[in-house]
Amino acid sequence: MNYENLFSPVNLGALYLPNRIALAPMTRNRATPDGIPFPYVAEYYLQRASAGLLISEATAVSKQGSGYPIIPGIWTAQQIEAWSEITKKVHEAGGKIVLQLWHTGRIAHSSLVDGQPVSSSAVAPNLELFTATFEKVQAETPRELTAAEIAEVVADYKAGAEAAKAAGFDGVELHGANGYLIDQFLRDGVNHRTDAYGGSIENRLRFAIEVLKAVIEVWGSDRVGIRLSPFGAFNDMSDSDPVNHFVTILKALKELNLAYVHFAFVTGVNEPDGLKTFREAYGHNIITNGGYTAATAEADLAAGLTDATAFGVPFLANPDLPERLKDGTGLNEANQATFYGGNEAGYTDYPSLSAV
Ligand SMILES: Cc1cc2nc3c(=O)[nH]c(=O)nc-3n(C[C@H](O)[C@H](O)[C@H](O)COP(=O)(O)O)c2cc1C
């Protein structure tokens, strides 16, 4: 098949992509307890540098936002140094990489974040979480952030954006999806605040906009993206009216001239016309993700529904995914047992075509 759109270049803000294939952000828990990515993480990203854009695994902006064991961070000199090695390798291979900035909010155990987890409201997620010593326990009830503390978290994101720049990234993506802190403000299933950060959708959006503006001061709007999951139920999330709420969100985001908005949901499954509705409301560049094949990605691109497609699990298991999609070659199967934690096995040892 001729995937003419998938293999055409595009500019997402200041980011020039030689093809429309992005590596979706994927947490792999290959970092020290101090949030320093292991040296072989550079090899993982380097192997995938033929993507139009690499989006890094979610990376915590602070200890408070680091709710899983052995995830990377971007708030210490050692973390920045390790990331610098990674961006250097990617650039040497001609690739581009943005850092996904993360604060896990209530998806955190107190043993990891040095104190009671925080969120938009004191609403516990009904799920089990890992402690610092890898025990699985029921999630605790988080503490509602005060307005003054919200300003501190915004400053942490800004510092994370500055650190990402120091580490040589090409831009940043805010993790506003999958039930983490930004999503905990956006969605009314969790956000029960009665101040300026809760109630109306405009108020629930306030925190995300403040973070975006802070990060834009560092990078310029054309190197900043945000990931959203309007229909996501992961991490015990819900929203009373996702389509209308996210249309309002997108209309507000449009004013910021971002590099892109990145949607994580399966087109046609969560909400049949969701993508079309969001595309019309937003109008600027978007990346779509969730269950895509080369054929469905090409179809959405050809229909003008999206500008680029991110691949998660297929890219995890196929370091040379763009080449394989182009040639129609079969794909390696992903091994779920090595998704989270471990070593190079199931991480940097998936064969590429040249090695088969
Ligand atoms: C191992 C793994 C880790 C993930 N970690 C993240 C993450 O750090 N940030 C994020 O936004 N999404 C994360 N996701 C979601 C993926 O980015 C993507 O949305 C999902 O895999 C669906 O896309 P796919 O069907 O192409 O795999 C993760 C998914 C997997 C399988």
Side-chain angles (χ1 to χ4, degrees):
M1 209 178 149
N2 179 14
Y3 299 119
E4 164 185 7
N5 290 284
L6 203 51
F7 291 96
S8 67
V10 65
N11 287 301
L12 301 182
L15 302 168
Y16 170 81
L17 280 59
N19 61 56
R20 312 290 183 108
I21 299 167
L23 170 71
M26 282 181 286
T27 295
R28 304 300 304 277
N29 303 83
R30 281 156 169 96
T32 69
D34 292 332
I36 304 167
F38 288 131
Y40 59 77
V41 172
E43 178 67 18
Y44 168 82
Y45 287 106
L46 166 69
Q47 288 174 345
R48 288 158 182 77
S50 64
L53 182 67
L54 300 174
I55 304 168
S56 82
E57 63 211 271
T59 299
V61 294
S62 63
K63 178 79 175 162
Q64 185 196 58
S66 190
Y68 292 99
I70 53 173
I71 57 164
I74 190 79
W75 76 91
T76 72
Q78 294 95 320
Q79 294 164 351
I80 296 170
E81 199 184 315
W83 279 116
S84 302
E85 291 302 313
I86 296 166
T87 61
K88 200 171 123 208
K89 284 245 170 72
V90 168
H91 290 151
E92 278 167 10
K96 265 193 195 70
I97 181 164
V98 297
L99 183 69
Q100 193 185 49
L101 295 174
W102 202 15
H103 189 305
T104 53
R106 67 177 189 159
I107 305 302
H109 187 261
S110 49
S111 61
L112 285 158
V113 293
D114 289 344
Q116 193 179 0
V118 298
S119 185
S120 56
S121 301
V123 180
N126 185 16
L127 45 81
E128 291 192 325
L129 293 171
F130 282 108
T131 67
T133 49
F134 299 95
E135 283 164 85
K136 255 200 151 178
V137 297
Q138 189 64 28
E140 303 145 297
T141 301
R143 193 165 61 71
E144 175 171 319
L145 285 163
T146 65
E149 288 170 334
I150 288 175
E152 288 170 20
V153 176
V154 171
D156 287 342
Y157 273 101
K158 187 172 182 186
E162 281 161 352
K165 205 167 208 183
F169 283 94
D170 296 290
V172 290
E173 171 177 300
L174 293 188
H175 195 344
N178 301 348
Y180 300 106
L181 188 61
I182 290 176
D183 207 21
Q184 290 161 30
F185 274 86
L186 292 178
R187 320 273 295 281
D188 61 11
V190 177
N191 185 341
H192 299 161
R193 299 177 75 98
T194 52
D195 65 358
Y197 293 92
S200 66
I201 182 59
E202 288 78 10
N203 279 357
R204 281 184 276 129
L205 178 59
R206 190 177 309 279
F207 174 63
I209 298 279
E210 286 181 2
V211 175
L212 278 167
K213 286 188 170 162
V215 166
I216 287 170
E217 278 178 34
V218 178
W219 278 98
S221 58
D222 54 3
R223 287 183 184 269
V224 172
I226 185 168
R227 190 170 218 221
L228 303 170
S229 55
F231 308 109
F234 182 64
N235 280 329
D236 197 19
M237 294 302 290
S238 63
D239 194 278
S240 62
D241 190 4
V243 175
N244 284 320
H245 288 157
F246 277 83
V247 163
T248 305
I249 289 170
L250 290 164
K251 286 184 176 160
L253 293 180
K254 200 172 165 180
E255 307 299 314
L256 295 179
N257 281 314
L258 300 173
Y260 64 83
V261 169
H262 181 182
F263 290 113
F265 64 83
V266 182
T267 307
V269 172
N270 303 107
E271 159 64 44
D273 294 323
L275 182 56
K276 193 164 176 282
T277 308
F278 294 151
R279 177 73 164 175
E280 281 165 12
Y282 186 58
H284 293 298
N285 287 326
I286 63 174
I287 301 177
T288 40
N289 163 254
Y292 275 99
T293 62
T296 57
E298 177 68 19
D300 276 4
L301 286 164
L305 288 171
T306 187
D307 301 287
T309 305
F311 291 84
V313 174
F315 222 149
L316 180 157
N318 295 274
D320 53 350
L321 186 72
E323 190 185 344
R324 288 180 189 245
L325 296 184
K326 197 172 214 170
D327 296 351
T329 322
L331 300 182
N332 301 323
E333 283 290 316
N335 176 8
Q336 292 203 16
T338 52
F339 275 11
Y340 304 105
N343 49 27
E344 290 99 322
Y347 188 59
T348 50
D349 62 354
Y350 284 105
S352 52
L353 288 173
S354 53
V356 174

